[in-house]
Amino acid sequence: MKTFKNPIIPGFYPDPSICRVGEDYYLVTSTFEYFPGVPIFHSKDLVNWQQIGHVLDRPSQLNLDGTPNSRGIYAPTIRYHEGIFYTITTFVVSATGARKNFYVTATNPSGPWSEPNWLEDAPGIDPSLFFDEDGRVYYTGNRVPPEGPQYPKHVEIWMQELDLEKKQLIGPKYSLWDGALKQIHAQEAPHLYKINGYYYLIIAEGGTGFTHSVTIARSKEITGPYEVCKTNPILTHRHLGRNYPITNVGHADIIETQNGEWWMVCLATRPYGGHYRNLGRETYLVPFIWEEGWPVVNPGKGIIELEMQCPDLVETRWGTEPACDHFEGSELGLKWSFIRTPKEDFWSLKDRPGYLRLKTKKEVITEEVNPSFVGRRQQHMNFSVRTKLEFSPLNEGESAGIVLLQNHNYQLRVEYGLHENQSSIRLIRRSNGQDELLAIQPITTDLLYLKIEAIGQAYSFYYGTTPETWNLLREDVDGTILSSDVAGGFVGAFIGMYATSHGQESCNYADFDWFEYVGY
């Protein structure tokens, strides 16, 4: 019996949505304030996934200027119909939660994707598309019930027809369902399907925290009324306790394989070192069957497991991605992200071939701006990061180094720069918006090696001026500030390279020769 390990996509890849085209599977996830937006993955066997691009990879598609932490792109849905891929999502544009829903299209899932088609009078979040057998297309999302909420965070699932030629919603809005678990709150993430003559509506309830869950209802008519499954929730882990290794299970999408098996992708988290989730919400895979017209998830157990039996599909592995990026290509790899949309060329792979050059922008990573930062997701509980940095600080406040980032108010930074006319390496912990100097090492050099090793929530920091000769800067720093359980919000931790001039105009730059991430 072949098995696979969950999560199938580790690290901050939440709110998965999936579609199948023949023997190929495509999956997208949320990105919030990070750019490019909405990574898209390809698989042949539902277990091994390869990123093939981003859905929103141009500033014209996604302008994140001024977007607060944990706002931005929420819960995309991907669907395929008659030769065209559709991805629909929500752009939460402000701290007050102002929302705009839009969809984009492509004939090739790796892109290019179209410019956004913005939908008017489409309240709520988590939009999805359903293509019915009669050729009509429907939009589903959530909203406050028209008659008003009956309890805190009471929302309902609503539906309206979408005219693909006019690219707008048309006709009446229909209230479909306000969930199976009254008072649980936060009904969201709706997906409609038609299976064996029934319209099935799968949603998430209970919020994105510990009480997250998946529920389902069905109807013979798309507009309802919807019959509630008596075994709801069909998937949750909240009854297993906070010490169970997989928690916060919810936000599901389902797919039937070409061999007739049914599988569900959903999000969940792996707390460690206590109930801390530095890795963010990850993508998981679990099988289900149909009994008397209703899903039974992982029969006999009803939960997601860290190791499960593989789908009945031919295993297709992709080439292993190198642990070390030597920046020898003409473009950054797909794993790299920016904070918000870059509007200027603050980074380059061409100015010094074989190096990633970051300009010392005046923007700082402690504000909700677009700093000179290039990062990747933390994907393991235990990992090490190393980089080779060439940098000569010329003016007060210029610095460069590595950042472990949860958001602008919670982070760990190891920086080499000029402070009070003295060049030094500094380790700074930022918590609740306040910087604390944990370690400082005066040093003058043009070349620096930096290393971070994390064993669970213990993060240790090292530096050196020659290869593989490491000096301890600070050992066993508490990493729990990199969890949303401390910092708030919805994102997972990022690790990346950073340069700044701390509010001053600067023509300086930092060159990173390579960046290595090893998880274990």
Side-chain angles (χ1 to χ4, degrees), residues 180-254:
L181 310 170
K182 305 304 182 186
Q183 307 295 323
I184 285 294
H185 76 261
Q187 297 81 2
E188 58 191 13
H191 293 305
L192 262 178
Y193 317 87
K194 192 171 188 182
I195 303 166
N196 295 330
Y198 278 100
Y199 292 95
Y200 285 90
L201 179 58
I202 287 180
I203 72 171
E205 297 188 56
T208 60
F210 180 71
T211 56
H212 212 19
S213 63
V214 181
T215 60
I216 189 169
R218 70 182 184 184
S219 174
K220 284 289 189 178
E221 303 294 331
I222 194 169
T223 55
Y226 277 80
E227 172 193 1
V228 179
C229 178
K230 293 180 180 179
T231 58
N232 275 321
I234 59 171
L235 180 62
T236 188
H237 279 203
R238 60 178 177 238
H239 61 294
L240 301 176
R242 295 181 182 272
N243 291 326
Y244 195 75
I246 304 173
T247 63
N248 302 56
V249 175
H251 202 114
D253 200 3
I254 63 174

Side-chain angles (χ1 to χ4, degrees), residues 413-416 419 424-428 437 439-440 473:
R413 308 192 307 271
V414 54
E415 303 176 343
Y416 173 59
H419 305 280
S424 62
I425 304 168
R426 304 197 310 164
L427 174 60
I428 299 167
L437 182 63
I440 185 168
L473 187 62

Side-chain angles (χ1 to χ4, degrees), residues 25 44-46 257-259 261 263 310-315:
Y25 299 85
K44 289 280 192 178
D45 59 13
L46 289 175
T257 72
Q258 62 269 32
N259 296 327
E261 289 184 334
W263 290 83
C310 284
D312 181 23
L313 296 170
V314 176
E315 182 181 32

Side-chain angles (χ1 to χ4, degrees), residues 20-70:
R20 177 171 70 88
V21 182
E23 298 182 355
D24 295 281
Y25 299 85
Y26 300 96
L27 184 148
V28 293
T29 69
S30 299
T31 43
F32 294 85
E33 70 265 34
Y34 287 94
F35 184 93
V38 187
I40 182 164
F41 298 87
H42 173 227
S43 178
K44 289 280 192 178
D45 59 13
L46 289 175
V47 171
N48 298 286
W49 293 88
Q50 178 186 47
Q51 189 174 350
I52 58 174
H54 288 89
V55 174
L56 306 173
D57 61 1
R58 305 186 300 276
S60 61
Q61 294 173 301
L62 181 60
N63 180 4
L64 291 164
D65 288 357
T67 301
N69 165 63
S70 285

Side-chain angles (χ1 to χ4, degrees), residues 45 57 95 98 121 204 229 253 355 361 380 410 418 427 437 458 470 499:
D45 59 13
D57 61 1
D121 191 23
C229 178
D253 200 3
Y355 289 76
K361 287 178 65 178
H380 302 82
Y410 291 85
L418 193 62
L427 174 60
L437 182 63
W470 298 108

Side-chain angles (χ1 to χ4, degrees), residues 15 34 46 61 115 147 233 264 336 367 399 401 416 461 505:
D15 307 323
Y34 287 94
L46 289 175
Q61 294 173 301
E115 293 297 304
E147 65 276 10
M264 175 183 291
W336 297 109
E367 297 177 354
S399 62
Y416 173 59
F461 298 81
E505 295 294 338

